[in-house]
Amino acid sequence: MQRLSLVLALAALAVAGCDQDPSSVEDFDIQPNIVVSARDLTVTTGQRVPPTFTVRYQGLDAVPEATSEAPVVLELVEETGTAEAGTRTYAVSYADEVSSGETVERLVVLRSPSGGREITGTVRLRVVNPISISESFTSRLAVVADYEARAVETSGGTTAETVTDGVSPNSSGLRALRVSASGAGAVTFRREVSAPGQGVFSFLLKPDPAADFTLGVTFVDRDGDETEAFTVDVPVEAGATWRRYSIDTEQVLDGFDPVAARAGGNGPLESVSFSASAPVTYALDDVAFGTVDGPTIEVDDFEAPSNPYNCGLGTSDADPAATASDGATSRRFVYTGGDCFGYNYERLRLDAGPQGELRFLIGDASADFNLYVFVETVDDGGRAGGFSFDNGNEVAVEEGDGYRLVTIPLSELGNDPSALNDPGIVNVGFSVRRKASDATTDPIAFTIDDVKLVAGT
């Protein structure tokens, strides 16, 4: 098992070269100069492969040396040529902790003599902790249906229960999980996840009001026929306010690659566990994978439809034939007359912004047909923000076994996307409609997956 502390760093790089004015024709042959390969470089403490930059130089009396103050660490990893024409490649890392929200600035200086003068360059480093710990956040993902099996398990004396009191008003719904940690056990979420390119793991946490503790977050990843565990230790300060934590797993966990074989990986995530270093009580919500722009794949948000309805369509679980499916299961529907299905919720919330979208995968269709899609918000004498059945969109689905991602701008399903967050969403519905050219009464079968509402960036 690999254990890494929750400390990351970012850096920006810029190097200026210095030219010497020519005094004779011979001076045009080799002008003293230092040129760096990149102006910007990202560095992460504990990064599995430290980033590098290359310095190219010519016309110098000696090879340029790169120096900086500790805890900046510069490692020469490759060198070619001579002082008259050559290159040096350095790996950059930062060997100290940086608090969340803090910025540290350092300089790397390149020096070399040339013709009685010194040629210099500077590298400007900006070091921060990219694990965001923020008390200012909104819901950026609301999963309607992904058809995945989920299980919440506890061990070692730790217990957990779903609660509706004290839930963050900026979460995706009305429920959270309260954990009473023993200091020895864990709470584990079992849900198969395939997350190619989704290297940011995030969750909401309401800490113990009286005690600091360390939260161990352990990912169990399938690698062929075996599994491997990866752990990140997260220091949690006592408090009474919900916070969003984000971890750049792509940079700090060597070998962690939760991607299903169908998407080109060795195997998906099997579970995520949270263990506290001391007996404390805390709450979790909106556990997800995503990118720096926000979450896109839900592990668990502890919400469930209050009324998943079906107007007579046949249904069955199906394997996720779609490469892009984020889990192990999709849903097969068969239309023979009854035409609607959907998902009522007590409340889902999404801070959609002007670019928010409704997304889902659809394919393996036995015939061409149209699928009518709509979103409904709270009805208080009228659907808030204009999100109603009458404002839905019709999507054309073609016969065939190919899958595609359907994206519908939420701004096309209502006139005020802010209503999706407050007062919120109570229904996402679908209606199967035959093409005007289809005069048959043959059944229409199709598969759907990963129905979700995602905020715009």
Side-chain angles (χ1 to χ4, degrees):
M1 180 181 291
Q2 180 184 15
R3 298 187 73 89
L4 295 171
S5 62
L6 181 67
V7 182
L8 303 175
L10 296 177
L13 176 68
V15 175
C18 204
D19 290 338
Q20 189 179 44
D21 293 336
S23 58
S24 67
V25 173
E26 288 77 12
D27 289 335
F28 284 98
D29 293 338
I30 299 178
Q31 293 292 308
N33 198 15
I34 296 174
V35 178
V36 72
S37 62
R39 290 185 176 275
D40 296 291
L41 188 69
T42 298
V43 182
T44 301
T45 298
Q47 191 168 339
R48 60 191 186 193
V49 180
T52 62
F53 69 90
T54 299
V55 179
R56 302 183 184 278
Y57 41 86
Q58 62 180 26
L60 306 177
D61 294 341
V63 172
E65 296 288 341
T67 60
S68 185
E69 298 178 2
V72 175
V73 178
L74 302 171
E75 180 186 0
L76 180 63
V77 295
E78 187 176 4
E79 184 175 16
T80 64
T82 66
E84 291 191 356
T87 66
R88 273 191 161 194
T89 299
Y90 290 90
V92 186
S93 57
Y94 193 78
D96 202 356
E97 295 189 359
V98 179
S99 299
S100 177
E102 181 184 1
T103 299
V104 176
E105 293 185 356
R106 294 289 187 270
L107 280 179
V108 175
V109 180
L110 294 158
R111 291 187 176 91
S112 178
S114 178
R117 60 182 297 192
E118 185 176 64
I119 305 296
T120 64
T122 59
V123 178
R124 298 187 298 273
L125 293 178
R126 187 175 65 90
V127 186
V128 299
N129 185 348
I131 292 294
S132 68
I133 305 172
S134 176
E135 295 183 358
S136 177
F137 58 86
T138 57
S139 173
R140 309 288 291 168
L141 171 69
V143 172
V144 178
D146 58 19
Y147 311 109
E148 299 307 319
R150 290 175 170 80
V152 178
E153 302 172 358
T154 57
S155 63
T158 292
T159 62
E161 61 175 336
T162 302
V163 296
T164 57
D165 61 299
V167 177
S168 170
N170 294 321
S171 67
S172 64
L174 302 179
R175 290 168 175 77
L177 190 75
R178 181 178 295 146
V179 181
S180 297
S182 66
V187 57
T188 298
F189 307 112
R190 299 199 180 276
R191 190 285 212 208
E192 185 170 309
V193 175
S194 178
Q198 311 299 295
V200 176
F201 177 74
S202 65
F203 55 93
L204 304 185
L205 184 144
K206 188 176 183 181
D208 189 289
D212 298 346
F213 64 99
T214 298
L215 186 70
V217 184
T218 299
F219 307 93
V220 176
D221 180 19
R222 191 183 306 159
D223 187 357
D225 295 331
E226 300 180 349
T227 59
E228 188 173 4
F230 305 82
T231 298
V232 177
D233 289 333
V234 182
V236 177
E237 295 183 354
T241 304
W242 281 94
R243 305 165 185 162
R244 182 187 293 280
Y245 288 77
S246 299
I247 304 173
D248 189 348
T249 61
E250 198 169 57
Q251 295 297 339
V252 300
L253 296 180
D254 187 12
F256 179 59
D257 185 30
V259 179
R262 65 177 179 275
N266 292 329
L269 178 86
E270 290 193 347
S271 67
V272 181
S273 296
F274 293 80
S275 58
S277 61
V280 291
T281 298
Y282 63 94
L284 292 169
D285 205 354
D286 292 0
V287 183
F289 283 91
T291 68
V292 293
D293 293 324
T296 57
I297 300 172
E298 175 192 282
V299 176
D300 211 333
D301 67 358
F302 316 108
E303 308 298 327
S306 58
N307 177 31
Y309 57 91
N310 185 322
C311 310
L313 281 80
T315 64
S316 62
D317 288 341
D319 293 335
T323 298
S325 294
D326 63 40
T329 309
S330 57
R331 183 60 51 85
R332 185 74 170 163
F333 289 90
V334 180
Y335 164 75
T336 57
D339 63 352
C340 70
F341 65 97
Y343 307 90
N344 288 131
Y345 278 84
E346 188 176 349
R347 199 69 48 87
L348 285 178
R349 295 186 290 230
L350 181 78
D351 185 14
Q355 305 300 319
E357 295 177 333
L358 169 64
R359 302 176 185 175
F360 59 92
L361 292 164
I362 193 166
D364 197 13
S366 64
D368 292 351
F369 70 98
N370 292 327
L371 186 66
Y372 187 76
V373 186
F374 63 96
V375 173
E376 291 183 325
T377 48
V378 172
D379 187 356
D380 187 15
R383 295 289 180 186
F387 290 89
S388 66
F389 175 85
D390 292 337
N391 286 333
N393 271 18
E394 197 167 76
V395 176
V397 180
E398 295 182 355
E399 178 183 358
D401 58 4
Y403 285 79
R404 69 181 176 110
L405 175 65
V406 175
T407 60
I408 302 174
L410 289 165
S411 59
E412 295 182 4
L413 303 178
N415 54 43
D416 183 6
S418 69
L420 299 169
N421 192 47
D422 184 13
I425 304 152
V426 294
N427 183 32
V428 177
F430 301 84
S431 178
V432 179
R433 299 176 176 181
R434 288 190 183 275
K435 292 277 192 180
S437 57
D438 182 1
T440 74
T441 58
D442 295 340
I444 299 174
F446 60 95
T447 302
I448 196 168
D449 201 0
D450 295 347
V451 184
K452 58 187 70 172
L453 303 159
V454 182
T457 58

